[in-house]
Amino acid sequence: MYCHVNNLLPNSFADYFKTNADVHRYDTRTRDELHCVRFRTDVYKHTVQIFGPTLWNGLPQEVRGKTGITRFK
């Protein structure tokens, strides 16, 4: 998730995740967080598209804002 947010992944993953600002135009507190897709089955709950943004949004801001992947780790 760190690599996606900081544009370190190949271009094929550029639109794999969206921010809440991309989904709607409302000015909310969670505007810059990753959008969590709704799901109906427990199998889909464990995919990267669901679990990744949920885990990333749960991290404190000081952890998400680290510069450099080694500092983030």
Side-chain angles (χ1 to χ4, degrees), residues 36-53:
C36 295
V37 180
R38 295 180 184 235
F39 60 92
R40 293 186 330 181
T41 63
D42 285 339
V43 174
Y44 194 60
K45 177 172 63 174
H46 300 290
T47 62
V48 172
Q49 283 183 307
I50 301 297
F51 193 65

Side-chain angles (χ1 to χ4, degrees), residues 4 7 9-18:
H4 175 74
N7 297 323
L9 292 176
N11 291 336
S12 60
F13 293 103
D15 60 346
Y16 205 68
F17 301 104
K18 296 180 182 180

Side-chain angles (χ1 to χ4, degrees), residues 3 5 8-9 16-17 20 22 24 32-33 36 49-51 53 56 60 62 66 68-70 73:
C3 291
V5 170
L8 299 174
L9 292 176
Y16 205 68
F17 301 104
N20 286 331
D22 295 335
H24 57 77
D32 296 326
E33 290 187 357
C36 295
Q49 283 183 307
I50 301 297
F51 193 65
W56 180 258
E62 59 268 6
K66 296 289 184 188
I69 195 154
T70 54
K73 288 180 183 179

